């Protein structure tokens, strides 16, 4: 896909990346810190640039978001999923193998609307997963997120691994409300992974204060928010752009 409207720079500008507690090196940091990973992968950079581009129509935007989600889930699951050992017959002999235990599906929690698109490929990356939807809408009077859909169980079993998808971590109101729902239902914060396309410092600050031990995987970290709470430069309204809402 050729990106309309993209101006290629001859000498690439040095990218400004705001780092929270750590980058990919941060896996060795103490457990009590929140860690933010911006995986330095060229495909992640590519799909972020497609998402940012104002010319990308909804089908292109959606497929870029789904691809970005696939790569972020892959990165997030690296040191997180447990394997069990076994043995299989190959056509030529017997091999010791390790595989993901199908009895312990990852709980995938998309935050509606746009989170749905970010986890569209989760079933292709994770051999065993289960989707538990959460829907939030902003109350225009209080400006606080209000939950209108909650498919979480009353109590999660011990050791549950939960992947939360919220494409835009802006003020942090929605993601904090979602994580509070999870932790109040018994999920260990160290076993939660959050994936997002773009994050801004206010959201990362509040997450790091409220959820030490959390790991967040993002496509890019931007500089801040505008007066309407949108991330700048960001990519606009992720839900509207995914679904062509006018
Ligand atoms: N939600 C969005 O969709 N975009 C933003 O920039 C901030 C919140």
């Amino acid at each position: 896909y050729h990106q309309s409207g993209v101006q290629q720079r001859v000498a690439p500008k040095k990218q400004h990346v705001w780092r929270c507690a750590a980058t990919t090196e941060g896996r060795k940091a103490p457990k009590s810190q929140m860690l933010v990973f911006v995986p330095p992968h060229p495909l992640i950079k590519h799909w972020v640039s497609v998402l940012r581009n104002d010319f990308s129509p909804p089908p292109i935007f959606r497929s870029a978001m789904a691809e970005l989600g696939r790569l972020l889930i892959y990165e997030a699951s690296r040191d997180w999923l447990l394997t069990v050992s076994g043995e299989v017959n190959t056509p030529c002999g017997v091999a010791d193998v390790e595989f993901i235990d199908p009895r312990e599906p990852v709980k995938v929690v998309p935050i509606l609307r746009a989170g749905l698109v970010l986890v569209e490929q989760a079933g292709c990356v994770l051999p065993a997963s289960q989707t538990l939807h959460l829907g939030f809408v902003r109350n225009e009077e209080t400006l606080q997120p209000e939950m209108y859909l909650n498919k979480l169980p009353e109590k999660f079993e011990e050791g549950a691994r939960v992947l939360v998808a919220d494409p835009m971590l802006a003020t942090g109101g929605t993601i904090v409300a979602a994580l509070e729902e999870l932790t109040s239902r018994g999920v260990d914060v160290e076993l939660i992974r959050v994936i997002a396309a773009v994050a801004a410092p206010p959201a990362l600050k509040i997450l790091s204060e409220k959820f030490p031990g959390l790991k967040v995987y993002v496509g890019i970290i931007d500089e801040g928010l505008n007066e309407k709470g949108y991330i700048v430069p960001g990519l606009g309204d992720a839900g509207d752009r995914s679904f062509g809402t006018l």
Side-chain angles (χ1 to χ4, degrees):
Y1 169 67
H2 174 72
Q3 291 198 51
S4 323
V6 170
Q7 306 281 329
Q8 193 178 353
R9 284 196 198 92
V10 179
K13 196 175 91 175
K14 198 165 182 304
Q15 216 170 24
H16 171 83
V17 178
W18 188 93
R19 295 179 200 284
C20 185
T23 62
T24 44
E25 296 299 312
R27 288 194 173 89
K28 294 183 197 89
K31 272 189 174 175
S32 56
Q33 262 185 327
M34 181 185 87
L35 300 179
V36 184
F37 300 100
V38 184
H41 196 298
L43 288 173
I44 289 183
K45 292 184 178 130
H46 175 80
W47 295 119
V48 167
S49 74
V50 175
L51 289 170
R52 284 203 193 277
N53 191 342
D54 202 16
F55 282 96
S56 300
I60 299 295
F61 185 90
R62 265 202 310 274
S63 66
M65 187 66 88
E67 274 304 307
L68 177 63
R70 195 159 70 98
L71 296 165
L72 291 173
I73 296 170
Y74 173 81
E75 292 286 344
S77 52
R78 192 183 287 277
D79 61 349
W80 180 53
L81 296 182
L82 299 180
T83 55
V84 288
S85 311
E87 232 181 50
V88 289
N89 294 322
T90 77
C92 308
V94 177
D96 292 331
V97 289
E98 285 189 37
F99 55 94
I100 304 287
D101 191 342
R103 294 165 302 181
E104 293 192 7
V106 170
K107 312 295 187 253
V108 176
V109 179
I111 298 181
L112 273 44
R113 285 173 297 168
L116 272 182
V117 189
L118 198 59
V119 298
E120 204 174 276
Q121 300 284 334
C124 304
V125 187
L126 303 168
S129 67
Q130 181 186 14
T131 306
L132 308 168
H133 300 87
L134 272 185
F136 282 94
V137 66
R138 189 161 80 150
N139 180 316
E140 292 304 336
E141 278 168 24
T142 63
L143 300 183
Q144 294 307 308
E146 283 181 1
M147 193 161 56
Y148 65 88
L149 178 74
N150 184 348
K151 292 290 183 184
L152 303 182
E154 291 258 301
K155 193 93 188 134
F156 282 80
E157 71 274 22
E158 208 185 323
R161 282 162 165 72
V162 183
L163 177 91
V164 186
D166 185 2
M168 307 300 283
L169 303 180
T171 60
T174 302
I175 189 70
V176 166
L179 295 181
E180 281 172 348
E181 282 298 324
L182 290 167
T183 50
S184 70
R185 290 158 197 260
V187 180
D188 175 358
V189 73
E190 305 236 352
L191 295 181
I192 299 176
R193 299 289 182 268
V194 172
I195 58 165
V198 188
L204 295 177
K205 181 168 183 291
I206 192 165
L207 283 173
S208 67
E209 286 163 3
K210 288 190 174 274
F211 302 101
L214 182 70
K215 288 187 179 167
V216 181
Y217 289 76
V218 297
I220 192 90
I221 298 173
D222 275 359
E223 284 165 26
L225 308 179
N226 66 16
E227 64 290 347
K228 291 186 179 154
Y230 280 87
I231 300 177
V232 183
L235 49 78
D237 188 304
D240 286 359
R241 292 196 63 198
S242 294
F243 298 105
T245 313
L246 296 177

